[in-house]
Amino acid sequence: MPSKRHALITQLAPIPHLTFRQPPGKWPGYAVAVWGVLFAIPSFVWAMGSTFGAESTVSPSLVKLARDGVPWFMAVLWVTGFLKLVGALIGIGLTRVRGLRMSRLLVFCGGGAAVLLAWHGGLFVVHGVQVEAGFVAVEPGLLGLTRWYLYLWGPWFVAGGLAFAAATVRYVRRYDDHRALRIYGAVGALGALLLSLASSITGIG
């Protein structure tokens, strides 16, 4: 028969509220953070007027805009640089236990980013493979640039998408109410897919 002291301790002991079955895996989120920071560096370098590393790896029309310091394009570079840092923060956010509202936002953004990046990078890779296989013709002067998009930018975007996907999936799976969070991730991914399709059809973006 339990003692009165044991019974009192049992009554006073708080019942833990488990938000996660186990802590979310951290390495995919940190991979997203590193990816975002590294990807932001060229944007900020080019936004400050330098075209270092861009002349042979980026579309000539974009290099010209950066070299000429076109105001709207420079603003785009600054904005994209900060967005990449936001992506890094999302990755860090997916490494630790968060509140419900923050978890929904993180999963929504993570799902959307995964699709956007994988789609964007996949297009670069597919186009590059078609050029290398001779199915699509490009101007001789752009052949080297196409290979940069095939071997560098395409895989880089895909790697970022996979990192976001891994971080988001691991976060959702360890959440007690993972079905509700899964909906937010699916909505983010679907929205990104529709946006990507619209961009491909219209040629904008």
Side-chain angles (χ1 to χ4, degrees):
M1 182 175 181
S3 64
K4 292 183 179 181
R5 181 181 178 185
H6 182 272
L8 181 60
I9 293 175
T10 303
Q11 292 176 2
L12 295 178
I15 299 175
H17 175 69
L18 296 179
T19 304
F20 281 83
R21 295 192 182 94
Q22 52 183 305
K26 294 183 178 182
W27 71 264
Y30 287 135
V32 169
V34 172
W35 181 93
V37 171
L38 291 178
F39 201 21
I41 293 175
S43 294
F44 290 130
V45 170
W46 300 336
M48 289 186 289
S50 173
T51 56
F52 176 77
E55 295 186 3
S56 60
T57 64
V58 179
S59 172
S61 60
L62 298 181
V63 174
K64 186 177 186 304
L65 290 173
R67 186 184 297 116
D68 295 343
V70 178
W72 69 265
F73 185 68
M74 307 309 284
V76 168
L77 288 175
W78 282 108
V79 170
T80 54
F82 282 113
L83 286 176
K84 292 167 185 177
L85 292 182
V86 170
L89 292 177
I90 291 173
I92 293 175
L94 290 169
T95 63
R96 299 182 183 277
V97 177
R98 309 294 172 182
L100 182 58
R101 291 184 179 180
M102 181 58 69
S103 293
R104 289 172 176 174
L105 179 61
L106 289 171
V107 170
F108 175 84
C109 293
V115 172
L116 277 175
L117 293 170
W119 176 279
H120 205 55
L123 290 180
F124 288 152
V125 172
V126 170
H127 177 71
V129 169
Q130 290 176 332
V131 172
E132 290 293 297
F135 296 124
V136 176
V138 297
E139 297 181 11
L142 296 178
L143 184 59
L145 180 63
T146 301
R147 287 172 177 166
W148 276 109
Y149 276 85
L150 170 61
Y151 297 115
L152 174 62
W153 297 120
W156 181 259
F157 275 91
V158 172
L162 293 177
F164 268 105
T168 304
V169 169
R170 289 173 73 96
Y171 192 90
V172 170
R173 284 182 175 177
R174 285 159 174 76
Y175 204 80
D176 279 345
D177 191 11
H178 62 275
R179 293 182 180 178
L181 272 189
R182 192 180 299 169
I183 294 175
Y184 284 85
V187 171
L190 179 60
L193 178 60
L194 294 176
L195 180 62
S196 300
L197 286 172
S199 176
S200 298
I201 293 172
T202 61
I204 301 175

